[in-house]
Each structure stands twice: as C-alpha cells, then as structure tokens.
Amino acid sequence: MSEMSARRRRRVAALLAALPLAAACASPPPPVPPPGEQARAISLPFDRYNFTPADLSVIERAEDLLVGDCMRSRGLAWETLPPSAEEDLEPPNRRRYGVVEPEIARRYGYHVAPDRPSVARRSAAGETRTASLSEQQRAAYDESGGCLPRARARIGQGAPKVDSALFNQLITRTFEQSRREAEVVRVFRAWSACMRAEGWRYDDPLTAIADERWLDGGPATEEEIRAARADERCKARTGLVAVWVAAERRLQEDAVRAHREAFDALKAAKDRQLETARTIIAAAR
C-alpha cells in the first residue's frame, strides 16, 4: 500500500460522507452550489499536517503530468486529466459534524452533494481514460517500477518518513474524546431538545446523519430533507458547531504538543511534497 494512498484514507470526514449521492434530478439538473461559508469556516489544528482536498488536487495533478512524461518516453499515449478549479474543491471538514450548510440540507438532505463542475469533469475524464487503456498501457502505468510508482517516488523524494498510523489514531481518538467533553455533551442536549421541538428524536448529530432511513441508496426523500434542514437550523440556534470545534481544537492542540516530533515530520513531509508538486506543475506550463 503506497504512502500516498494511506494519506488519502486519513480523512475522518469520509466516515461521515459515506451516504450515497442523490439521484439525478430532471434534465437539466440545477447547478450544484459551491461549498457554503459554514463549511469553509471549520478549521482544526490537524489540518496543518494533513492533505486537504486542495492539496491532493495539486499532488494528483503533478503525478498525472509525471506519468504522462513517463508513458510517452515508453512510446505510449497518455492524456492528462483537466485540473479541478480550486473553488470547486471540498473544504477539509465539510461533513465532520454532519450537515452544516442550509442550501445543501435543502437540496440534498443528508446525502453528499454532487461534485462541482470541474471536479465532475475530471472524474469523468479519469473514468473514461481508465476504461480505454490497453493492456500495455496498464502494465506500464501500474506495474512494479511503472510510471505511477515512479511519479509518486519523485514527489515524495526528500520528504521525511512519517508515522501515519499514529496520526490516524490521534484523529479518531481526539474526535471521539471531543464528543464526551462536558460542553459538547451540553450542546448536544440543547440540539436534541431543539430537534424534538421540530418533531425529530436524536441524541446527537451523528445519529441523525446515520439514520437507516437515509441509507437505502435512493435519492433524498422529503422526510430526509425536512430532518436535515431541522438539524442544520438546530445547530445554528444552539451554536453547536462552534462549541464542538473549540473542544476538538483544544484536544488536537494537546495531541500536537504531546507528539511534537511526529507532527513536525508530518508538516515537513507535506510541505516538501507540495513544493515538489508545484514545481512540476509550473515547469509543465
């Protein structure tokens, strides 16, 4: 398993984003709204040490360019993917505390919003490219010593070794601890009371988003949208997100201080890889 693949799985938010996408609406579908300010405002200390979606977009762009050079050097065709626009990329903590954006709740309930245009185009182009690769291209791309491993090694060159397992453990541990902090428990109770007044019975936002009624694989129902809109309103009324962020921020800062050397290595590795990737992209322009 590659180091880069391990990093991509570090996102705790992915645990909350596992709901199926809403089915397509009537043609043409309405434009997907950009991430709201509520989601963009959520920042945590660990963000400095992790790869955000925007960071991964830079890394993947550089990988793709290097793979293209490598494939063409072997006499094989390779079409690089169109880049995603930065404004279309997900904020790093968008779904960490469940649904927090009024417009997303109104349109998609608890379902994950569809990709924004440039992200969707890149994803579709990647699927088309993968499906069209010949056996020779596939072997040259992903075999031991192939173009993708070579590209990843180039981007990781000079970056210090990092303890990904420790980082993953701390992400999960501090998140779970934050749910038990006294001020978070109190705001959960206030949120739960607000939800009861709206006709919904949940102990906390994570039980609401994980309701089995929303996990049947279909599009968001009217009932789900009503629940998600009530959830988002109750978060706003009780100040839940601000309280939860403050608690988790404190726990993460304690973890950084307790594992200073490991976090310094994470930051150095991230910075080195992003610097290398940006240099590769700039040279290709």
Side-chain angles (χ1 to χ4, degrees):
M1 187 68 63
S2 73
E3 183 67 27
M4 189 61 64
S5 296
R7 291 194 185 95
R8 290 195 180 101
R9 297 200 314 276
R10 291 208 296 247
R11 305 308 304 165
V12 170
L15 298 175
L16 302 179
L19 294 168
L21 290 175
C25 300
S27 182
V32 179
E37 62 182 27
Q38 299 87 353
R40 292 194 183 279
I42 300 172
S43 64
L44 292 164
F46 282 5
D47 295 345
R48 296 184 64 239
Y49 307 95
N50 210 347
F51 285 87
T52 67
D55 294 333
L56 289 175
S57 178
V58 172
I59 297 286
E60 290 166 358
R61 176 68 172 162
E63 281 181 1
D64 201 23
L65 291 167
L66 290 176
V67 167
D69 289 342
C70 173
M71 295 287 276
R72 286 186 285 271
S73 75
R74 301 182 182 197
L76 299 170
W78 185 261
E79 187 165 346
T80 54
L81 303 178
S84 299
E86 187 171 355
E87 61 270 19
D88 285 350
L89 298 169
E90 293 271 309
N93 301 302
R94 186 176 196 178
R95 307 250 314 165
R96 191 174 194 84
Y97 308 116
V99 62
V100 300
E101 300 158 273
E103 186 64 13
I104 296 302
R106 186 183 72 80
R107 293 197 190 195
Y108 309 110
Y110 286 114
H111 283 56
V112 179
D115 288 335
R116 289 273 291 163
S118 66
V119 177
R121 283 194 296 271
R122 179 179 174 84
S123 179
E127 291 175 4
T128 298
R129 184 178 70 184
T130 298
S132 66
L133 292 178
S134 67
E135 289 187 15
Q136 187 181 14
Q137 286 173 312
R138 290 178 192 277
Y141 173 67
D142 211 15
E143 67 183 1
S144 177
C147 291
L148 180 61
R150 286 164 63 93
R152 289 178 172 170
R154 169 72 181 86
I155 292 171
Q157 188 175 358
K161 298 294 184 182
V162 298
D163 192 342
S164 296
L166 173 64
F167 191 36
N168 292 336
Q169 291 167 9
L170 291 171
I171 289 172
T172 302
R173 185 187 308 163
T174 53
F175 182 76
E176 291 302 321
Q177 287 176 337
S178 73
R179 297 174 65 186
R180 299 190 294 271
E181 293 292 292
E183 65 272 28
V184 176
V185 172
R186 283 194 295 270
V187 82
F188 280 175
R189 289 175 184 154
W191 174 90
S192 184
C194 176
M195 288 292 282
R196 282 197 303 274
E198 295 255 10
W200 306 95
R201 292 188 173 274
Y202 297 111
D203 291 335
D204 60 56
L206 300 189
T207 58
I209 200 171
D211 191 317
E212 290 185 358
R213 287 176 291 179
W214 326 140
L215 298 172
D216 64 1
T221 62
E222 291 185 8
E223 181 184 32
E224 176 187 338
I225 288 172
R226 286 197 304 272
R229 295 185 74 182
D231 180 348
E232 183 278 322
R233 286 194 300 269
C234 287
K235 284 190 178 87
R237 289 170 186 166
T238 60
L240 182 146
V241 173
V243 172
W244 201 349
V245 167
E248 197 173 6
R249 184 175 290 140
R250 183 178 64 251
L251 291 165
Q252 288 192 2
E253 287 171 348
D254 289 344
V256 171
R257 283 192 292 268
H259 302 278
R260 184 75 266 174
E261 186 175 342
F263 277 90
D264 285 347
L266 283 164
K267 184 66 165 59
K270 173 184 172 178
D271 290 348
R272 179 59 181 266
Q273 289 179 75
L274 285 171
E275 180 184 5
T276 300
R278 291 186 179 111
T279 299
I280 291 166
I281 293 169
R285 290 193 177 113

